[in-house]
Amino acid sequence: MKKTTYNPFETAQNQFDHAADLLELDHATRDFLRNPMREYHFTIPVLMDDGKVKVFKGYRVQHNDARGPAKGGIRFHPLGTIDTVRALSMWMTWKTSVADIPLGGSNGGVICDPHHLSRNEQEKLCRGWVRQIVKNVGPFSDIPAPDIMTNAQHMLWMLDEYEVILGKRYPGFITGKPIEMGGSQGRREATGYGVIITVREALKELAIKPENTLASVQGFGNVARNAIELYHRMGGKVICVSSWDENDHCSYSFQKKDGIDLNELKSIADSFGGIDKMKAQELGYELLPGEAWLEQEVDILIPAAIENQITEENVKKINRRVKIMAEGANGPTTTEADKLLKESDIFIIPDFLANAGGVICSYFEQVQSNMNYYWDKDEVFGKLDAKMTSAYISVSDFSKANELSMRDAAYVISVNRVAQACHDRGWV
Ligand code: NAD
């Protein structure tokens, strides 16, 4: 029987086990790294606009902080689970490690649907999240950041609550802040741009000119939009994007064979990255089922929505023309699908390498906030490009030298660095 539900933490642990086998890690180190070091589960009561109190479930999971303070997003999602948070925290440990920045990995969130929360309720939820976890996070222990359905305003409310409680200014407590309030130039673009920097390097290796390529993207949020913007500037053409439709509770793909217009689609999308299907059709986009983005006759696929989207069932629908898949989302490919992809000719740029631009720029933001001195956009993008390119080249060189897939190479490099830090500290 084929699986119909996927647990992202199982995927993350399977990937880790494989890396641990390749590295021949000892039993204790395996046991230690296979699970998060700390988990906090809590409830957040919020006085809603209708005068009733609603209790939300909140989490923070710190997978590992051997290489530096933990760092990770906060996701607001109705379908969030503790296992999603565990998986994201583990992937973040490998991400900061492969990017070679002095941070560990964490993740957190609240089970909620911001589509149905007023601004006032969202503010209370953000402040409530901080009140419950204030003792266990901070600029030198665990630094939160935005993720799905959280944004700069949420981060600012959280920062304000943290500073009010502690009675001092700690701009380095959180990243993804509004630029005028201590955010970094370029943070908004960093993840999507980083994805395309890795695509640029992969195209170079495959001797393909970007201007001769077509791409299809899953998602139309922060990562997808910025990836599309830079890819278009490199000369490529995106012919399909997909997004979640909140009214119909399913996803749709929007296809335009002669290339999508990014600004036009942005103008008919909501702040959560959902595209208005009626308006899109009026503008000449063909409305297709949610999974159609995967079946496009393109050179590059960019899953940039959510985890577990490429599965054993749909992986066979990927068009034979596809040469590169750059995983913008965290964990978009299940273990079973990844095995099948390894047998194909598709060059996979694994998630924690492809989307590391976000945490790299968050690290830059933290450094700037702690110094209280800020860089201009060109300086940020220059440093981002250098870090992403160097991470990509290290993984690519290692993969060729050891005849490993890019995912296995990235895992071996990053797990090894973290294991070494744990050994050096005398933890295991
Ligand atoms: P976002 O909330 O801005 O956008 C998410 C997009 O995905 C929206 O357009 C939504 O409509 C779409 N979507 C959701 N479910 C879908 C489905 N089943 N099919 C098609 N589309 C669907 O989120 P984001 O910040 O762009 O993050 C996207 C992914 O990238 C997530 O996996 C996130 O963890 C990862 N990521 C984000 C960052 C960052 O800096 N934002 C950094 C690293 C990784």
Side-chain angles (χ1 to χ4, degrees):
M1 258 248 310
K2 284 191 179 152
K3 263 170 106 168
T4 49
T5 54
Y6 293 91
N7 179 333
F9 190 45
E10 242 175 60
T11 304
Q13 286 192 317
N14 287 337
Q15 291 169 346
F16 168 74
D17 289 342
H18 183 54
D21 288 345
L22 290 169
L23 277 163
E24 298 179 3
L25 278 190
D26 63 87
H27 190 70
T29 311
R30 256 174 212 257
D31 249 13
F32 188 63
L33 293 180
R34 215 173 175 269
N35 289 293
M37 290 175 71
R38 292 173 219 101
E39 286 191 1
Y40 304 98
H41 301 214
F42 43 89
T43 45
I44 310 168
V46 172
L47 179 61
M48 306 294 279
D49 294 350
D50 64 5
K52 293 187 185 134
V53 173
K54 190 168 173 188
V55 179
F56 293 87
K57 223 169 169 21
Y59 298 108
R60 188 70 179 171
V61 172
Q62 292 159 355
H63 173 259
N64 191 282
D65 56 8
R67 286 173 38 87
K71 178 98 192 78
I74 301 175
R75 182 178 286 196
F76 284 179
H77 204 282
L79 306 178
T81 65
I82 182 62
D83 276 343
T84 311
V85 180
R86 287 177 177 137
L88 290 167
S89 73
M90 195 189 223
W91 285 324
M92 189 55 115
T93 303
W94 313 140
K95 197 180 303 190
T96 51
S97 176
V98 83
D100 206 10
I101 51 179
L103 295 169
S106 58
N107 191 263
V110 180
I111 313 295
C112 69
D113 189 348
H115 289 97
H116 305 302
L117 295 174
S118 69
R119 185 180 159 87
N120 179 42
E121 290 163 346
Q122 291 184 41
E123 176 176 349
K124 287 182 183 168
L125 195 53
C126 288
R127 292 183 183 278
W129 190 89
V130 170
R131 281 201 295 275
Q132 299 300 346
I133 196 72
V134 65
K135 292 196 201 87
N136 308 102
V137 291
F140 303 105
S141 55
D142 182 5
I143 305 118
D147 191 64
I148 291 181
M149 288 203 266
T150 53
N151 57 36
Q153 177 63 71
H154 296 118
M155 298 305 111
L156 186 57
W157 285 324
M158 289 183 170
L159 173 68
D160 186 67
E161 189 66 22
Y162 186 81
E163 293 182 333
V164 166
I165 294 170
L166 296 181
K168 285 198 180 85
R169 291 282 176 257
Y170 291 98
F173 158 61
I174 207 160
T175 61
K177 302 180 287 292
I179 290 177
E180 60 282 7
M181 292 299 293
S184 176
Q185 295 284 347
R187 172 62 189 89
R188 186 168 45 84
E189 298 90 337
T191 310
Y193 280 16
V195 172
I196 299 305
I197 291 170
T198 65
V199 167
R200 178 194 71 199
E201 294 304 307
L203 286 171
K204 263 191 226 163
E205 287 195 282
L206 299 173
I208 301 171
K209 290 200 169 108
E211 57 271 31
N212 296 337
T213 63
L214 299 177
S216 176
V217 180
Q218 187 189 34
F220 196 61
N222 172 278
V223 179
R225 291 172 194 209
N226 288 295
I228 295 169
E229 191 227 297
L230 187 58
Y231 175 67
H232 277 171
R233 278 205 273 130
M234 264 166 38
K237 199 192 277 182
V238 172
I239 62 161
C240 187
V241 299
S242 76
S243 77
W244 183 255
D245 188 297
E246 187 49 28
N247 297 320
D248 297 355
H249 293 282
C250 68
S251 56
Y252 292 108
S253 297
F254 300 86
Q255 188 197 55
K256 207 177 223 180
K257 284 269 167 73
D258 54 357
I260 66 145
D261 180 327
L262 180 59
N263 287 329
E264 181 181 77
L265 272 188
K266 273 189 192 171
S267 73
I268 57 162
D270 63 28
S271 61
F272 300 104
I275 297 171
D276 185 320
K277 61 179 185 299
M278 306 305 268
K279 288 186 183 154
Q281 287 176 97
E282 281 164 22
L283 289 168
Y285 289 83
E286 193 175 341
L287 185 70
L288 298 170
E291 270 188 11
W293 74 277
L294 192 70
E295 301 164 24
Q296 300 296 306
E297 196 180 337
V298 290
D299 308 278
I300 302 163
L301 287 178
I302 304 180
I306 198 158
E307 57 281 339
N308 294 333
Q309 294 304 299
I310 298 151
T311 64
E312 203 176 359
E313 287 76 47
N314 65 18
V315 70
K316 295 178 197 98
K317 295 185 186 163
I318 294 179
N319 194 283
R320 293 175 73 88
R321 174 170 167 169
V322 173
K323 295 172 192 73
I324 295 173
M325 181 160 80
E327 296 179 331
N330 288 310
T333 309
T334 66
T335 311
E336 296 78 9
D338 195 39
K339 277 186 196 141
L340 295 169
L341 282 168
K342 264 188 186 160
E343 290 158 18
S344 76
D345 291 331
I346 301 174
F347 185 84
I348 310 287
I349 310 173
D351 50 1
F352 64 100
L353 172 63
N355 69 32
V359 74
I360 290 172
C361 200
S362 287
Y363 165 60
F364 295 159
E365 178 174 335
Q366 195 204 354
V367 169
Q368 295 169 81
S369 288
N370 288 340
M371 291 192 299
N372 215 0
Y373 174 74
Y374 292 85
W375 310 330
D376 65 23
K377 217 173 199 174
D378 285 348
E379 187 165 359
V380 173
F381 287 148
K383 287 181 157 71
L384 174 70
D385 199 326
K387 269 271 173 215
M388 282 302 297
T389 306
S390 135
Y392 177 92
I393 290 172
S394 308
V395 173
S396 168
D397 286 353
F398 193 83
S399 102
K400 283 182 216 137
N402 296 283
E403 293 182 11
L404 292 172
S405 69
M406 285 289 279
R407 194 185 310 281
D408 287 348
Y411 258 104
V412 168
I413 291 174
S414 58
V415 172
N416 189 42
R417 282 181 185 153
V418 177
Q420 192 59 48
C422 295
H423 294 162
D424 291 349
R425 283 178 180 273
W427 288 355
V428 280

